[in-house]
Amino acid sequence: MVTSTAQGHRSGFACFVGRPNAGKSTLTNALVGSKVAITSSKPQTTRHAIRGIVHRDDAQLVIVDTPGLHRPRTLLGQRLNDIVRETWSEVDVVGFCVPADQKVGPGDRFIAAELTKVAKRTPVIGIITKTDLVSPDQVGEQLLALQEVMEFAELIPVSAVDGFQVATLTDLLVARMPEGPQLYPGGELTDEPETTLVAELIREAALEGVRDELPHSIAVTIEEMIPREGRDDMIDVHALLYVERASQKGIVLGHRGERLKHVGSTARRQIEGLLGTRVYLDLHVKVAKDWQRDPKQLRRLGF
């Protein structure tokens, strides 16, 4: 039987890069049409190269969502940067994301300098994100500013929030894919294991509302995720939330554990949506002293 993998079907990998909080995860979710990468008002929320899969009759586009590239200050920071560079070397096209509401700065130039090295063999598309936050004139100014930074294969303004030019961006990415068969089955939206997505949803809930107090000191591991015995409509999830210091544990727990309860109920709703079943979520907070700088602890926490 011949499937749509016949002549003219394109498939391949794209990745979005940019400074932390440049809107890469939100854009990934908009293209895929589902929440596969966690988003947060905090920079550096993404820690894994999560792949979102865009299915079309004529193409399958696999988006690798990388952590934000930054000048690293910890071992974790170095490992995150390594993930980004490894990803760039393996994709068919790179999208360089710069938000419309922030001036093109040294961080963007740092990334552009790195990208110039891969641009010889991999096309780089410049993407102005978050255009819904500024006037059309400011979008125009940002396009001109970005043009100065490096030579792009294409330059496009988009808004993941109101859908502006998201389909056009998909077309531009697909046009740079080689011809080939489907790489993943039709229904799949991501190749991340469910436990990774569940851990990320818990981490996202824990980050909301603590703004600057707890930037990147939170890690989550899923100790166990099993169907409830004797029931086919309930999954038990046991998770550990790691912080670096005892004072941070107090912030996560909140007064009489109220904050952790709120994190648990927010995360549980998201996890139920993801798994399509009822969930019992058991959350505990542990201190793993300075885990971002400790190779042994980084390994244990999955980095």
Side-chain angles (χ1 to χ4, degrees):
M1 186 179 91
V2 182
T3 62
S4 65
T5 57
Q7 208 177 358
H9 187 276
R10 293 176 179 275
S11 58
F13 294 83
C15 80
F16 295 138
V17 301
R19 276 183 298 146
N21 222 15
K24 303 179 294 292
S25 297
T26 310
L27 192 55
T28 297
N29 293 338
L31 264 72
V32 175
S34 172
K35 184 168 180 170
V36 294
I38 74 163
T39 56
S40 157
S41 50
K42 287 194 155 29
Q44 266 169 265
T45 308
T46 308
R47 286 191 178 156
H48 298 274
I50 291 182
R51 295 163 177 80
I53 305 164
V54 181
H55 301 276
R56 304 199 330 187
D57 290 342
D58 63 336
Q60 191 178 68
L61 171 64
V62 184
I63 303 164
V64 184
D65 179 38
T66 60
L69 192 77
H70 59 295
R71 293 185 189 277
R73 287 193 297 276
T74 60
L75 184 60
L76 174 67
Q78 283 167 16
R79 296 221 174 143
L80 295 182
N81 277 359
D82 290 344
I83 292 174
V84 180
R85 290 197 185 88
E86 267 166 46
T87 305
W88 292 359
S89 61
E90 291 163 6
V91 297
D92 300 294
V93 57
V94 175
F96 178 22
C97 297
V98 176
D101 63 334
Q102 292 171 31
K103 283 213 173 338
V104 173
D108 300 307
R109 291 188 189 91
F110 170 68
I111 294 169
E114 297 278 320
L115 276 176
T116 306
K117 299 168 195 169
V118 298
K120 293 180 188 69
R121 60 177 189 280
T122 309
V124 178
I125 293 176
I127 305 166
I128 306 286
T129 59
K130 309 186 184 186
T131 58
D132 53 290
L133 299 179
V134 299
S135 69
D137 284 354
Q138 283 171 283
V139 173
E141 282 166 27
Q142 192 74 322
L143 283 166
L144 290 170
L146 193 55
Q147 246 173 345
E148 300 295 303
V149 173
M150 69 175 282
E151 205 165 309
F152 293 101
E154 301 273 357
L155 212 47
I156 180 174
V158 302
S159 166
V161 171
D162 59 21
F164 173 63
Q165 298 223 102
V166 168
T168 311
L169 174 61
T170 308
D171 289 341
L172 290 177
L173 295 170
V174 164
R176 284 169 171 77
M177 300 288 129
E179 285 200 5
Q182 278 197 352
L183 301 164
Y184 291 89
E188 288 194 18
L189 295 176
T190 176
D191 71 347
E192 282 292 300
E194 279 178 344
T195 50
T196 304
L197 291 170
V198 167
E200 289 283 89
L201 288 171
I202 294 168
R203 201 168 141 259
E204 177 180 42
L207 281 171
E208 268 331 300
V210 288
R211 295 177 312 285
D212 310 318
E213 300 157 278
L214 231 70
H216 309 299
S217 306
I218 292 179
V220 176
T221 58
I222 304 300
E223 300 301 293
E224 197 172 46
M225 195 160 108
I226 49 171
R228 172 77 57 93
E229 210 167 310
R231 287 180 64 171
D232 53 10
D233 66 338
M234 174 77 95
I235 287 178
D236 291 333
V237 178
H238 299 273
L240 289 176
L241 236 158
Y242 287 92
V243 291
E244 294 194 294
R245 292 188 293 284
S247 59
Q248 295 172 336
K249 184 175 178 176
I251 294 170
V252 173
L253 287 170
H255 183 58
R256 296 189 175 164
E258 284 305 312
R259 190 156 188 285
L260 187 66
K261 247 184 242 161
H262 177 68
V263 168
S265 60
T266 304
R268 194 190 72 247
R269 282 196 301 275
Q270 297 271 10
I271 296 163
E272 288 180 338
L274 173 77
L275 302 177
T277 178
R278 292 183 63 193
V279 165
Y280 166 76
L281 178 59
D282 177 46
L283 266 185
H284 291 276
V285 185
K286 284 185 90 164
V287 178
K289 201 165 159 21
D290 293 334
W291 65 264
Q292 292 192 61
R293 296 169 193 279
D294 180 346
K296 212 163 28 204
Q297 297 202 75
L298 278 173
R299 265 200 306 281
R300 202 185 64 212
L301 296 173
F303 298 107

